[in-house]
Amino acid sequence: MHKKRKEITLRTILTVLIVICAIRQFMNQDYENVFICVLSLFLLGLPRLISERLGINLPVFLECIIMLFIFSAEILGEVNAYYERIPIWDTMLHTINGFLMAAIGFSLVDIFNRSDRFLVKLSPLFVAIVAFCFSMTIGVLWEFFEFSMDSLFHMDMQKDFFVTSI
């Protein structure tokens, strides 16, 4: 219960910061960043929605890391332009995301492995391989998404200002 209270406190703090940021962006008439703030609020609530709808309970620590990653990528990186101001911001977030996706992949397989609904129990090596493959697949799909948005909508999600090939 103590860990859950920390997760709720963190979610509340991040929500307040995002709302303040959205108000600031609205007053600056930067509606694209207001949309990013609204999207971030939705993403913060996604783990709770998944937990309630699908009955999948991620570890509290993992939920907190996910929330901090969303805040770092969207609010700090996009809205406050850390991607342009801090040269290693993108590399740092990609590295963290790799470990985060591996942890999510591991947690999901572990949740299914511990469940009484499944008759098959998976070996730890298999779980580690699935976690690694899940992480790599999400990373590749994200890069495809960035390239597609840059090519089709000229958004510069890759923050390189010039995209010629994938």
Side-chain angles (χ1 to χ4, degrees), residues 2-166:
H2 180 66
K3 289 181 182 179
K4 196 66 174 170
R5 192 168 39 234
K6 286 183 179 181
E7 182 257 337
I8 292 169
T9 302
L10 178 63
R11 184 184 314 274
T12 303
I13 291 169
L14 293 178
T15 300
V16 168
L17 290 173
I18 292 171
V19 169
I20 290 169
C21 185
I23 292 169
R24 187 183 81 204
Q25 296 305 315
F26 185 79
M27 294 178 112
N28 291 337
Q29 297 180 347
D30 191 347
Y31 302 115
E32 182 178 337
N33 283 342
V34 172
F35 174 74
I36 290 173
C37 291
V38 170
L39 177 65
S40 297
L41 288 172
F42 171 75
L43 290 174
L44 281 183
L46 204 55
R48 179 183 286 169
L49 184 69
I50 289 171
S51 176
E52 291 173 358
R53 298 283 175 139
L54 300 177
I56 298 173
N57 293 318
L58 291 175
V60 172
F61 182 72
L62 185 58
E63 280 188 46
C64 291
I65 297 295
I66 291 170
M67 289 188 295
L68 289 170
F69 180 80
I70 292 167
F71 185 81
S72 298
E74 299 303 323
I75 302 305
L76 297 178
E78 290 291 336
V79 176
N80 291 316
Y82 277 31
Y83 287 119
E84 286 90 19
R85 290 187 204 169
I86 302 172
I88 63 165
W89 191 258
D90 188 53
T91 303
M92 180 185 68
L93 286 181
H94 273 82
T95 302
I96 292 169
N97 188 48
F99 287 109
L100 182 61
M101 289 300 119
I104 290 172
F106 178 83
S107 293
L108 290 176
V109 173
D110 188 53
I111 288 168
F112 293 136
N113 205 23
R114 293 179 190 214
S115 173
D116 294 333
R117 291 184 269 176
F118 297 98
L119 300 175
V120 178
K121 297 299 177 193
L122 306 172
S123 72
L125 176 63
F126 181 79
V127 172
I129 291 171
V130 168
F132 174 77
C133 290
F134 180 81
S135 173
M136 296 302 290
T137 302
I138 295 298
V140 169
L141 290 175
W142 179 254
E143 292 301 323
F144 284 162
F145 174 73
E146 281 184 344
F147 177 77
S148 299
M149 297 304 282
D150 288 353
S151 297
L152 300 174
F153 300 108
H154 308 289
M155 293 185 65
D156 194 35
M157 288 186 72
Q158 297 183 48
K159 305 294 185 238
D160 58 4
F161 304 103
F162 186 72
V163 178
T164 57
S165 64
I166 195 154

